[in-house]
Amino acid sequence: MPSLHFHTRIFNPKPPFRLIHSYTLRTFTTSFIDAQFIQSPFIVSRFLWLLQEYPHGLFRVKSIHAQIITNSVSKDQFLATKLVKAYCDLGHVGDARHVFDQFSQPKTILCNAMVGGYLRNEWYSETLELFKMMGSCNLAIDSYTCNYALKACVGLLDYEMGREVIRKAVEKGVESDRFLGSSMINFLVKFSSIDEARRVFDAMPERDVVCWNSMIGGYVQAHHFNEAFGLFFDMHRMGIRPSQVTMASIIQACIETRNLKLGKCVHGCVFGLGMGYDVLVLTSLVDMYSKMGDVESAQLVFVSMPIRNLVSWNAMISGFVQNGLVQQAVDLFQRLVVSGGGFDSGTVVSLLQGCAQTADLDGGKIIHGCIYRKGLNSNLILSTAILDLYSKCGALKQASFVFNRMKVRNVITWTAMLVGLAQNGHAENALKLFSQMQEEGVVANSVTLVSLIHSCAHMGSLKKGRSVHAHLIRHGYAFDVINMTALIDMYAKCGKINSAEMVFSTGSISIDVILWNSMITGYGMHGHGHQAVGVYRKMIKEGLKPNQTTFVAVLTACNHSGLVEEGITLFHRMEREHNIRPSEKHYACIVDLLGRANRLEEAEGIVKQIPFEPGSVVLEALLSGCRTHKNIDMGVQTADKLLHLDSMNPGIYVVLSNIYAEASRWDAVNYIRGLMRTRGLRKTPGYSLIEVGNQVFTFFAGDDSHPNWAHIHRFLESLRLEVEASGYVPDTSCVLRDVVEPMKVKLLWGHSERLAIAFGLLYTPAGSLIRITKNLRVCSDCHVVTKYISKIVKREIIVRDANRFHHFLDGKCSCNDYW
């Protein structure tokens, strides 16, 4: 066997300790060999002293173990207990078990060392197996054994086994032990048996501060805050001094109850108890003040801390971000770095969230660089936060780059990418990513599915929307109010108002006003104004209080249905009966309502009576009415006001240009379009979407990019001949370009919705419904043509434009030509 001196030299490079240890261990082991008269108890005690006295390393413990075997004292169970503990402390549980297995009848102390070693190394299943073996072999079980086993049950979330351990503890009469009692309380709290935990607590004959902490912490976890406060006051009355853990739990209870006044009282107790220097407690106070919006007090506590750890810095940085003080968070982070302090993922996650809140892309890139240099770029939480930052800043290229480089992705990561795509107008890519997510076996959560529902709604993709709805049902999310609201919106925007009604009917018992608002909005976009007003009245009858969004929805529904007097009555009832002061959106609705009805002077009068400076939303509604009814003078005045408010909004220039074009004032049209070019503004191109099979196809005006474009154009030409034979006369006033009449007709037949309809008629089964989604308002000529087509082909055609739905059937439209 190699010399122990050699082992020591390798194991401990510090000369003073090496010499002392080498001499002691060499002299001691030599005496074992040469002095046979030394008795075994002395040998055992000297080995116990060695195992306890010196810092453990694996080589050293193995050397001592070897000498124990050499000197024939390996059967001493107390010495074996120390060896088991030493091996377990080093993480060498297998070596510990080898020592343990040398005893056919191990004593309780040795069993507990092995059970505790398994627990410390998180070998929870082995902990419980050994506990069961002790019971089956009639080995003595004490409070320590049960304590370890119960903690293993918590680690495995094994409720049934935990109950068995508690029954065993009661059977052995050790349940009154305060350490086991604390573990029993923790176990019961973990499984929401808070009342039983309290019974265990009350039955304990002796309770130290750990027991009190377990019970108070349990109440806080279970959101029984009054009971937590009551127990804290009982603790004080009984003269038991709270610990730092006690105060941290009570501070957390103050945070959860948003009770700043009580929190300040607890702050006073902290100093009264002499804990004004404790990092844990003071950090908890920083967190408390930050979460309650009292950043000034949080800063005072932070600055007064004599010692700060990284958790303290993170709490203050997070506090700044939570309260919208992102720059202060960045400044504090710079102080941390300059002072030589390190940072972790918790630090930069808060900063990334702050940059995402303020859409600070440059600041986010700097933080990303810090993460990369620190070597934290492989951290899943951080990578997801970076992805979310880029998505919220509209930098989808960088977001996709981060996403694609991630080696590990969880459902939160996938959801962040999906939401980013959906919110930035890339709904089709979001749906493709969802298909990829399914292929990789990642199970979507509620947030993922809601973002997909919004994507389906944006694209008008009914098939995919129904597929997502099925996912919600299978995973038990379908009856959540937020999900039901999204489903109502999706079905309404996909033209299936009856399906939206079915979803609403299953959730209409809800007192959540958002659900009712979504149904009113759905009816409104389909021109079902009477039904929308009916839902509003039913909502009032049920005792629900309408909010501002309710009135925006019901007034918009009146707009799309021509319910002018009904809308005016509801507008006046807002403040009179429901104490809701009209906002700019409500004024925009009433101005739009009057403008559509050609009551432009009344609409202008409303604008002048608004008690605040009208914004662009109100003026755009008035401008739209001027264009519809060709009131050039009022339109020019309104456009002038709008351009003073927002000179970089291309929509204003387009509407003004259209007003002039309809009046054939081409010089003015050219001037407005020249202004747009000078200012780098572009008109939003019109496009139409149609879902055929499992794919969504996009068509632009004059589009010839489709592989079958020649076939589509030939079919469209045949349709043109048929509708003209049926009495259709082109309304070329819709072509706002100074070109000859035949060219205007040609341009009309190149509109995106006509291309999409022709494609749908060619590639969908005869008699089936055709759904089109258009990003702009349908022109009046396309509206007339679609009515003719629906009658000729004997098919229902649903077109969703920027304002509402049009259901074309048998030569008629659901809007009754009012849109």
Side-chain angles (χ1 to χ4, degrees):
M1 178 177 144
S3 71
L4 291 173
H5 179 67
F6 176 72
H7 288 170
T8 307
R9 210 160 14 87
I10 293 175
F11 221 75
N12 214 325
K14 296 180 181 179
F17 180 80
R18 184 180 71 237
L19 292 172
I20 293 169
H21 179 66
S22 300
Y23 173 77
T24 303
L25 195 55
R26 191 168 62 247
T27 305
F28 177 52
T29 53
T30 302
S31 68
F32 290 153
I33 300 168
D34 297 338
Q36 298 296 324
F37 60 87
I38 298 176
Q39 296 180 355
S40 178
F42 174 74
I43 299 172
V44 171
S45 66
R46 292 294 287 172
F47 276 124
L48 289 172
W49 177 79
L50 279 173
L51 284 169
Q52 187 171 334
E53 187 69 18
Y54 294 112
H56 291 155
L58 181 60
F59 238 172
R60 183 175 295 115
V61 173
K62 282 186 173 290
S63 298
I64 295 170
H65 188 185
Q67 289 300 325
I68 289 171
I69 295 170
T70 301
N71 288 277
S72 303
V73 287
S74 59
K75 293 300 181 182
D76 185 277
Q77 294 212 25
F78 194 65
L79 193 53
T81 300
K82 292 292 184 183
L83 268 175
V84 166
K85 184 179 183 304
Y87 276 127
C88 288
D89 287 345
L90 291 168
H92 285 259
V93 184
D95 290 325
R97 184 61 192 245
H98 179 71
V99 173
F100 177 79
D101 286 340
Q102 304 306 308
F103 298 88
S104 57
Q105 285 294 318
K107 294 179 180 177
T108 302
I109 190 171
L110 178 56
C111 291
N112 286 349
M114 194 64 246
V115 172
Y118 277 140
L119 180 71
R120 289 196 302 280
N121 286 276
E122 298 183 2
W123 290 31
Y124 300 130
S125 297
E126 289 78 3
T127 305
L128 295 178
E129 284 175 14
L130 188 52
F131 174 79
K132 292 174 187 175
M133 187 200 77
M134 289 175 68
S136 62
C137 295
N138 295 319
L139 298 175
I141 291 174
D142 62 12
S143 61
Y144 289 100
T145 325
C146 294
N147 188 20
Y148 296 143
L150 202 54
K151 287 179 178 178
C153 293
V154 172
L156 290 172
L157 298 177
D158 189 339
Y159 178 73
E160 293 303 323
M161 186 60 199
R163 301 297 311 189
E164 181 61 35
V165 172
I166 292 173
R167 282 193 290 272
K168 182 68 73 173
V170 172
E171 179 187 313
K172 298 292 182 181
V174 295
E175 77 279 5
S176 60
D177 177 83
R178 64 177 186 273
F179 297 111
L180 178 56
S182 294
S183 293
M184 288 169 65
I185 292 167
N186 287 332
F187 169 81
L188 293 167
V189 165
K190 185 77 174 179
F191 290 96
S192 303
S193 300
I194 192 71
D195 294 332
E196 188 175 354
R198 182 57 190 263
R199 287 195 292 273
V200 170
F201 176 80
D202 289 338
M204 293 173 69
E206 183 183 354
R207 294 176 297 213
D208 61 7
V209 70
V210 177
C211 297
W212 287 86
N213 288 348
S214 297
M215 197 65 240
I216 291 171
Y219 275 135
V220 173
Q221 288 176 39
H223 295 96
H224 293 194
F225 303 116
N226 289 335
E227 288 82 354
F229 290 131
L231 208 56
F232 176 68
F233 297 140
D234 289 346
M235 192 177 183
H236 175 70
R237 281 193 295 271
M238 296 176 69
I240 298 170
R241 181 182 172 82
S243 68
Q244 293 89 336
V245 175
T246 320
M247 301 313 295
S249 293
I250 291 299
I251 291 168
Q252 184 60 37
C254 294
I255 293 171
E256 297 288 348
T257 56
R258 309 291 297 173
N259 193 332
L260 183 58
K261 186 176 179 181
L262 183 56
K264 288 183 175 180
C265 292
V266 173
H267 189 172
C269 288
V270 166
F271 283 96
L273 291 165
M275 296 181 189
Y277 297 95
D278 186 81
V279 176
L280 170 66
V281 177
L282 294 180
T283 300
S284 297
L285 287 170
V286 170
D287 185 50
M288 178 190 78
Y289 283 121
S290 296
K291 286 179 177 173
M292 293 197 198
D294 190 353
V295 188
E296 188 176 347
S297 295
Q299 278 185 279
L300 286 172
V301 174
F302 179 77
V303 170
S304 69
M305 292 176 71
I307 300 172
R308 303 185 193 104
N309 59 18
L310 184 54
V311 179
S312 312
W313 287 87
N314 287 354
M316 193 66 252
I317 290 170
S318 176
F320 279 134
V321 172
Q322 288 167 14
N323 289 278
L325 304 172
V326 179
Q327 189 55 53
Q328 287 90 324
V330 173
D331 293 342
L332 189 61
F333 174 66
Q334 289 175 340
R335 274 180 54 196
L336 171 63
V337 174
V338 170
S339 67
F343 60 88
D344 63 4
S345 59
T347 321
V348 283
V349 159
S350 295
L351 292 168
L352 288 168
Q353 289 170 347
C355 292
Q357 285 173 18
T358 56
D360 182 3
L361 181 58
D362 292 335
K365 286 180 177 178
I366 292 169
I367 302 300
H368 189 180
C370 291
I371 292 167
Y372 185 81
R373 287 191 294 273
K374 183 78 171 176
L376 296 171
N377 49 302
S378 60
N379 183 292
L380 180 61
I381 295 172
L382 277 182
S383 296
T384 303
I386 294 166
L387 191 160
D388 182 59
L389 161 77
Y390 285 133
S391 296
K392 286 179 178 172
C393 291
L396 287 182
K397 187 176 180 180
Q398 289 94 325
S400 298
F401 179 78
V402 172
F403 180 79
N404 291 329
R405 286 178 64 88
M406 292 175 69
K407 294 179 180 177
V408 178
R409 294 182 291 218
N410 60 13
V411 65
I412 299 170
T413 311
W414 285 90
T415 301
M417 192 68 240
L418 284 164
V419 170
L421 289 167
Q423 290 179 347
N424 284 280
H426 296 265
E428 189 170 357
N429 289 337
L431 292 171
K432 286 178 181 176
L433 191 66
F434 178 60
S435 298
Q436 184 186 338
M437 179 180 172
Q438 288 180 297
E439 287 170 9
E440 294 193 16
V442 181
V443 179
N445 61 19
S446 179
V447 179
T448 319
L449 296 170
V450 166
S451 68
L452 283 168
I453 292 169
H454 289 309
S455 296
C456 296
H458 176 76
M459 295 182 65
S461 179
L462 180 62
K463 286 185 179 179
K464 286 185 171 64
R466 282 175 167 162
S467 175
V468 177
H469 189 179
H471 271 276
L472 285 168
I473 293 170
R474 282 197 297 271
H475 292 91
Y477 301 135
F479 297 103
D480 178 83
V481 171
I482 294 173
N483 298 339
M484 292 180 79
T485 302
L487 285 168
I488 291 169
D489 177 65
M490 184 270 292
Y491 280 122
K493 286 180 178 174
C494 288
K496 293 291 290 182
I497 195 67
N498 56 334
S499 296
E501 288 172 332
M502 289 175 65
V503 174
F504 176 71
S505 65
T506 60
S508 59
I509 56 170
S510 170
I511 60 171
D512 198 316
V513 71
I514 298 172
L515 192 72
W516 293 76
N517 290 349
S518 65
M519 195 65 242
I520 294 171
T521 302
Y523 278 133
M525 70 175 70
H526 283 267
H528 298 171
H530 291 291
Q531 289 93 323
V533 173
V535 172
Y536 163 77
R537 288 174 177 159
K538 184 180 178 183
M539 175 181 166
I540 300 299
K541 188 178 178 181
E542 295 284 338
L544 274 75
K545 185 174 176 60
N547 58 19
Q548 291 200 339
T549 306
T550 310
F551 282 99
V552 169
V554 75
L555 288 173
T556 302
C558 291
N559 283 355
H560 292 159
S561 303
L563 303 178
V564 182
E565 298 306 322
E566 185 79 44
I568 292 170
T569 302
L570 288 167
F571 179 78
H572 290 304
R573 282 181 180 173
M574 270 179 64
E575 192 165 11
R576 188 173 64 242
E577 295 182 9
H578 300 287
N579 199 29
I580 297 174
R581 185 171 295 177
S583 69
E584 186 175 10
K585 286 185 178 180
H586 299 109
Y587 280 109
C589 286
I590 202 70
V591 168
D592 190 32
L593 180 72
L594 293 168
R596 287 171 188 265
N598 200 14
R599 292 162 63 169
L600 290 170
E601 287 74 18
E602 288 180 64
E604 189 178 33
I606 292 284
V607 173
K608 290 176 180 177
Q609 292 170 17
I610 295 176
F612 50 82
E613 191 67 29
S616 58
V617 178
V618 175
L619 294 174
E620 282 175 15
L622 183 59
L623 182 62
S624 177
C626 293
R627 186 208 163 177
T628 301
H629 299 289
K630 299 178 174 58
N631 191 323
I632 297 174
D633 292 337
M634 190 184 292
V636 170
Q637 291 172 13
T638 306
D640 187 56
K641 292 176 184 176
L642 272 166
L643 290 173
H644 276 89
L645 286 173
D646 186 4
S647 62
M648 299 304 288
N649 184 346
I652 300 167
Y653 294 90
V654 170
V655 175
L656 184 57
S657 170
N658 291 345
I659 289 173
Y660 283 131
E662 287 171 355
S664 297
R665 290 176 56 177
W666 300 111
D667 55 340
V669 171
N670 292 331
Y671 173 73
I672 296 296
R673 289 175 179 172
L675 271 180
M676 288 183 69
R677 285 192 295 270
T678 302
R679 294 176 181 178
L681 303 175
R682 296 182 63 187
K683 177 184 176 182
T684 303
Y687 63 83
S688 296
L689 306 173
I690 181 170
E691 185 179 31
V692 175
N694 288 318
Q695 190 174 352
V696 176
F697 296 87
T698 305
F699 292 90
F700 291 88
D703 197 350
D704 59 1
S705 62
H706 194 277
N708 298 326
W709 72 270
H711 189 198
I712 294 167
H713 281 271
R714 282 197 300 272
F715 181 72
L716 200 56
E717 178 61 18
S718 67
L719 275 178
R720 182 182 70 80
L721 296 173
E722 285 194 69
V723 295
E724 285 180 352
S726 300
Y728 159 73
V729 177
D731 179 10
T732 55
S733 66
C734 296
V735 180
L736 305 175
R737 292 172 64 179
D738 189 13
V739 294
V740 296
E741 285 296 306
M743 178 55 72
K744 286 185 178 182
V745 173
K746 184 178 180 181
L747 290 171
L748 282 173
W749 281 90
H751 279 191
S752 64
E753 54 265 59
R754 301 193 199 194
L755 295 172
I757 289 169
F759 178 77
L761 291 170
L762 283 170
Y763 295 101
T764 57
S768 63
L769 178 69
I770 293 175
R771 288 187 179 84
I772 309 291
T773 300
K774 184 175 172 66
N775 68 324
L776 302 177
R777 186 177 184 269
V778 172
C779 78
S780 58
D781 191 68
C782 285
H783 193 266
V784 171
V785 164
T786 309
K787 287 196 289 184
Y788 275 107
I789 292 173
S790 70
K791 187 172 185 178
I792 291 166
V793 300
K794 295 181 172 53
R795 289 172 76 170
E796 183 179 1
I797 302 170
I798 297 176
V799 178
R800 180 184 121 201
D801 70 6
N803 292 333
R804 57 163 298 154
F805 270 87
H806 301 267
H807 294 252
F808 298 95
L809 183 64
D810 197 27
K812 295 177 183 178
C813 180
S814 60
C815 73
N816 295 317
D817 299 333
Y818 187 90
W819 87 103

Short mmCIF file of all heavy atoms in Angstrom, two decimals, residues 515-547:
data_model
loop_
_atom_site.label_atom_id
_atom_site.label_comp_id
_atom_site.label_asym_id
_atom_site.label_seq_id
_atom_site.Cartn_x
_atom_site.Cartn_y
_atom_site.Cartn_z
N LEU A 515 -65.57 39.26 -21.39
CA LEU A 515 -66.23 38.23 -22.20
C LEU A 515 -67.44 38.83 -22.95
O LEU A 515 -67.63 38.59 -24.14
CB LEU A 515 -66.68 37.08 -21.30
CG LEU A 515 -67.12 35.80 -21.99
CD1 LEU A 515 -65.93 35.07 -22.58
CD2 LEU A 515 -67.83 34.89 -20.99
N TRP A 516 -68.22 39.61 -22.24
CA TRP A 516 -69.39 40.24 -22.85
C TRP A 516 -68.97 41.25 -23.91
O TRP A 516 -69.59 41.35 -24.97
CB TRP A 516 -70.24 40.91 -21.76
CG TRP A 516 -70.87 39.94 -20.81
CD1 TRP A 516 -70.24 39.27 -19.80
CD2 TRP A 516 -72.23 39.53 -20.78
NE1 TRP A 516 -71.13 38.45 -19.14
CE2 TRP A 516 -72.36 38.60 -19.71
CE3 TRP A 516 -73.35 39.85 -21.52
CZ2 TRP A 516 -73.57 38.01 -19.40
CZ3 TRP A 516 -74.57 39.26 -21.21
CH2 TRP A 516 -74.67 38.34 -20.16
N ASN A 517 -67.92 42.01 -23.62
CA ASN A 517 -67.44 43.01 -24.58
C ASN A 517 -67.02 42.36 -25.91
O ASN A 517 -67.26 42.90 -26.98
CB ASN A 517 -66.24 43.78 -24.01
CG ASN A 517 -66.64 44.71 -22.88
OD1 ASN A 517 -67.82 44.96 -22.65
ND2 ASN A 517 -65.65 45.25 -22.18
N SER A 518 -66.37 41.18 -25.81
CA SER A 518 -65.91 40.50 -27.02
C SER A 518 -67.08 40.07 -27.90
O SER A 518 -67.00 40.12 -29.12
CB SER A 518 -65.03 39.29 -26.66
OG SER A 518 -65.78 38.31 -25.99
N MET A 519 -68.19 39.66 -27.27
CA MET A 519 -69.37 39.25 -28.04
C MET A 519 -70.03 40.46 -28.70
O MET A 519 -70.46 40.40 -29.87
CB MET A 519 -70.37 38.53 -27.14
CG MET A 519 -71.45 37.76 -27.90
SD MET A 519 -70.80 36.39 -28.88
CE MET A 519 -71.24 36.88 -30.54
N ILE A 520 -70.10 41.58 -27.98
CA ILE A 520 -70.66 42.81 -28.56
C ILE A 520 -69.82 43.25 -29.75
O ILE A 520 -70.35 43.61 -30.81
CB ILE A 520 -70.71 43.93 -27.49
CG1 ILE A 520 -71.71 43.57 -26.38
CG2 ILE A 520 -71.09 45.26 -28.11
CD1 ILE A 520 -71.66 44.49 -25.17
N THR A 521 -68.48 43.17 -29.60
CA THR A 521 -67.57 43.54 -30.69
C THR A 521 -67.76 42.63 -31.90
O THR A 521 -67.78 43.09 -33.04
CB THR A 521 -66.10 43.47 -30.21
OG1 THR A 521 -65.94 44.33 -29.09
CG2 THR A 521 -65.14 43.87 -31.31
N GLY A 522 -67.91 41.33 -31.64
CA GLY A 522 -68.11 40.37 -32.72
C GLY A 522 -69.37 40.66 -33.52
O GLY A 522 -69.35 40.67 -34.76
N TYR A 523 -70.47 40.92 -32.81
CA TYR A 523 -71.71 41.26 -33.50
C TYR A 523 -71.53 42.54 -34.32
O TYR A 523 -72.01 42.67 -35.44
CB TYR A 523 -72.85 41.46 -32.50
CG TYR A 523 -73.52 40.17 -32.05
CD1 TYR A 523 -73.76 39.92 -30.70
CD2 TYR A 523 -73.93 39.23 -32.99
CE1 TYR A 523 -74.39 38.75 -30.29
CE2 TYR A 523 -74.57 38.05 -32.59
CZ TYR A 523 -74.78 37.82 -31.23
OH TYR A 523 -75.40 36.67 -30.85
N GLY A 524 -70.82 43.51 -33.73
CA GLY A 524 -70.62 44.79 -34.40
C GLY A 524 -69.89 44.66 -35.71
O GLY A 524 -70.30 45.25 -36.73
N MET A 525 -68.82 43.86 -35.74
CA MET A 525 -68.03 43.75 -36.98
C MET A 525 -68.78 43.00 -38.07
O MET A 525 -68.44 43.10 -39.25
CB MET A 525 -66.67 43.11 -36.71
CG MET A 525 -66.68 41.67 -36.34
SD MET A 525 -65.00 40.98 -36.19
CE MET A 525 -64.39 41.77 -34.72
N HIS A 526 -69.84 42.26 -37.69
CA HIS A 526 -70.67 41.57 -38.69
C HIS A 526 -71.91 42.39 -39.05
O HIS A 526 -72.77 41.90 -39.79
CB HIS A 526 -71.08 40.19 -38.17
CG HIS A 526 -69.98 39.19 -38.26
ND1 HIS A 526 -69.83 38.35 -39.33
CD2 HIS A 526 -68.95 38.91 -37.42
CE1 HIS A 526 -68.76 37.59 -39.15
NE2 HIS A 526 -68.21 37.91 -37.99
N GLY A 527 -72.03 43.61 -38.51
CA GLY A 527 -73.17 44.46 -38.83
C GLY A 527 -74.44 44.06 -38.12
O GLY A 527 -75.53 44.49 -38.51
N HIS A 528 -74.32 43.24 -37.06
CA HIS A 528 -75.50 42.81 -36.30
C HIS A 528 -75.69 43.77 -35.11
O HIS A 528 -75.51 43.39 -33.95
CB HIS A 528 -75.34 41.38 -35.80
CG HIS A 528 -75.20 40.38 -36.91
ND1 HIS A 528 -74.87 39.06 -36.69
CD2 HIS A 528 -75.36 40.49 -38.25
CE1 HIS A 528 -74.82 38.42 -37.85
NE2 HIS A 528 -75.11 39.28 -38.81
N GLY A 529 -76.02 45.00 -35.44
CA GLY A 529 -76.12 46.04 -34.41
C GLY A 529 -77.18 45.76 -33.37
O GLY A 529 -76.97 46.00 -32.18
N HIS A 530 -78.33 45.26 -33.81
CA HIS A 530 -79.43 45.00 -32.85
C HIS A 530 -79.02 43.91 -31.85
O HIS A 530 -79.33 44.03 -30.65
CB HIS A 530 -80.70 44.60 -33.61
CG HIS A 530 -81.30 45.71 -34.40
ND1 HIS A 530 -81.89 46.81 -33.82
CD2 HIS A 530 -81.37 45.90 -35.75
CE1 HIS A 530 -82.33 47.64 -34.77
NE2 HIS A 530 -82.03 47.11 -35.95
N GLN A 531 -78.35 42.86 -32.34
CA GLN A 531 -77.89 41.80 -31.43
C GLN A 531 -76.85 42.35 -30.45
O GLN A 531 -76.84 41.97 -29.27
CB GLN A 531 -77.30 40.63 -32.21
CG GLN A 531 -78.33 39.81 -32.98
CD GLN A 531 -78.50 40.28 -34.41
OE1 GLN A 531 -78.45 41.49 -34.67
NE2 GLN A 531 -78.71 39.36 -35.32
N ALA A 532 -75.97 43.23 -30.94
CA ALA A 532 -74.94 43.81 -30.07
C ALA A 532 -75.58 44.63 -28.95
O ALA A 532 -75.21 44.50 -27.78
CB ALA A 532 -74.00 44.70 -30.90
N VAL A 533 -76.56 45.45 -29.31
CA VAL A 533 -77.27 46.25 -28.31
C VAL A 533 -78.03 45.32 -27.36
O VAL A 533 -78.13 45.58 -26.15
CB VAL A 533 -78.22 47.26 -28.99
CG1 VAL A 533 -79.08 47.97 -27.94
CG2 VAL A 533 -77.43 48.27 -29.80
N GLY A 534 -78.56 44.20 -27.90
CA GLY A 534 -79.26 43.23 -27.05
C GLY A 534 -78.35 42.62 -26.00
O GLY A 534 -78.76 42.46 -24.83
N VAL A 535 -77.11 42.27 -26.38
CA VAL A 535 -76.15 41.72 -25.41
C VAL A 535 -75.83 42.76 -24.35
O VAL A 535 -75.74 42.47 -23.15
CB VAL A 535 -74.86 41.25 -26.12
CG1 VAL A 535 -73.79 40.87 -25.10
CG2 VAL A 535 -75.16 40.06 -27.02
N TYR A 536 -75.68 44.03 -24.79
CA TYR A 536 -75.41 45.12 -23.84
C TYR A 536 -76.54 45.24 -22.82
O TYR A 536 -76.31 45.33 -21.61
CB TYR A 536 -75.23 46.43 -24.61
CG TYR A 536 -75.35 47.66 -23.75
CD1 TYR A 536 -74.30 48.07 -22.92
CD2 TYR A 536 -76.52 48.43 -23.74
CE1 TYR A 536 -74.42 49.19 -22.12
CE2 TYR A 536 -76.65 49.55 -22.94
CZ TYR A 536 -75.59 49.93 -22.14
OH TYR A 536 -75.71 51.04 -21.33
N ARG A 537 -77.78 45.19 -23.29
CA ARG A 537 -78.92 45.32 -22.38
C ARG A 537 -79.03 44.13 -21.43
O ARG A 537 -79.35 44.30 -20.24
CB ARG A 537 -80.21 45.47 -23.19
CG ARG A 537 -80.33 46.83 -23.87
CD ARG A 537 -81.53 46.91 -24.77
NE ARG A 537 -81.65 48.25 -25.36
CZ ARG A 537 -82.32 48.53 -26.46
NH1 ARG A 537 -82.94 47.55 -27.12
NH2 ARG A 537 -82.38 49.76 -26.92
N LYS A 538 -78.74 42.94 -21.96
CA LYS A 538 -78.76 41.75 -21.11
C LYS A 538 -77.69 41.85 -20.03
O LYS A 538 -77.91 41.46 -18.87
CB LYS A 538 -78.53 40.49 -21.95
CG LYS A 538 -78.63 39.20 -21.16
CD LYS A 538 -78.39 37.99 -22.05
CE LYS A 538 -78.44 36.70 -21.21
NZ LYS A 538 -78.15 35.49 -22.03
N MET A 539 -76.54 42.38 -20.41
CA MET A 539 -75.43 42.56 -19.48
C MET A 539 -75.84 43.49 -18.32
O MET A 539 -75.57 43.22 -17.15
CB MET A 539 -74.26 43.16 -20.28
CG MET A 539 -73.04 43.54 -19.50
SD MET A 539 -71.85 44.23 -20.68
CE MET A 539 -70.72 44.96 -19.52
N ILE A 540 -76.53 44.58 -18.67
CA ILE A 540 -77.02 45.53 -17.64
C ILE A 540 -78.04 44.84 -16.75
O ILE A 540 -78.02 44.98 -15.51
CB ILE A 540 -77.64 46.77 -18.30
CG1 ILE A 540 -76.60 47.50 -19.18
CG2 ILE A 540 -78.19 47.73 -17.24
CD1 ILE A 540 -75.40 48.01 -18.46
N LYS A 541 -78.94 44.06 -17.37
CA LYS A 541 -79.98 43.35 -16.62
C LYS A 541 -79.38 42.35 -15.64
O LYS A 541 -79.91 42.13 -14.55
CB LYS A 541 -80.91 42.65 -17.61
CG LYS A 541 -82.15 42.04 -16.97
CD LYS A 541 -83.05 41.40 -18.02
CE LYS A 541 -84.27 40.76 -17.39
NZ LYS A 541 -85.14 40.11 -18.42
N GLU A 542 -78.25 41.71 -16.05
CA GLU A 542 -77.58 40.73 -15.19
C GLU A 542 -76.81 41.39 -14.04
O GLU A 542 -76.26 40.70 -13.19
CB GLU A 542 -76.61 39.89 -16.02
CG GLU A 542 -77.25 39.02 -17.08
CD GLU A 542 -77.92 37.78 -16.49
OE1 GLU A 542 -77.55 37.38 -15.37
OE2 GLU A 542 -78.83 37.24 -17.14
N GLY A 543 -76.78 42.72 -14.05
CA GLY A 543 -76.11 43.44 -12.95
C GLY A 543 -74.63 43.68 -13.18
O GLY A 543 -73.93 44.10 -12.25
N LEU A 544 -74.16 43.46 -14.39
CA LEU A 544 -72.75 43.72 -14.70
C LEU A 544 -72.56 45.20 -15.00
O LEU A 544 -73.41 45.82 -15.64
CB LEU A 544 -72.27 42.89 -15.89
CG LEU A 544 -71.78 41.48 -15.57
CD1 LEU A 544 -72.93 40.55 -15.27
CD2 LEU A 544 -70.97 40.93 -16.73
N LYS A 545 -71.44 45.75 -14.57
CA LYS A 545 -71.16 47.16 -14.78
C LYS A 545 -70.35 47.33 -16.07
O LYS A 545 -69.24 46.81 -16.18
CB LYS A 545 -70.38 47.73 -13.60
CG LYS A 545 -70.15 49.23 -13.68
CD LYS A 545 -69.50 49.74 -12.41
CE LYS A 545 -69.19 51.23 -12.51
NZ LYS A 545 -70.39 52.03 -12.75
N PRO A 546 -70.89 48.03 -17.06
CA PRO A 546 -70.12 48.22 -18.30
C PRO A 546 -68.92 49.13 -18.06
O PRO A 546 -68.92 49.95 -17.15
CB PRO A 546 -71.13 48.90 -19.24
CG PRO A 546 -72.10 49.58 -18.32
CD PRO A 546 -72.18 48.72 -17.09
N ASN A 547 -67.89 48.95 -18.87
CA ASN A 547 -66.72 49.82 -18.77
C ASN A 547 -66.55 50.61 -20.07
O ASN A 547 -67.41 50.56 -20.95
CB ASN A 547 -65.46 49.01 -18.44
CG ASN A 547 -65.16 47.93 -19.47
OD1 ASN A 547 -65.65 47.97 -20.59
ND2 ASN A 547 -64.36 46.96 -19.09
#
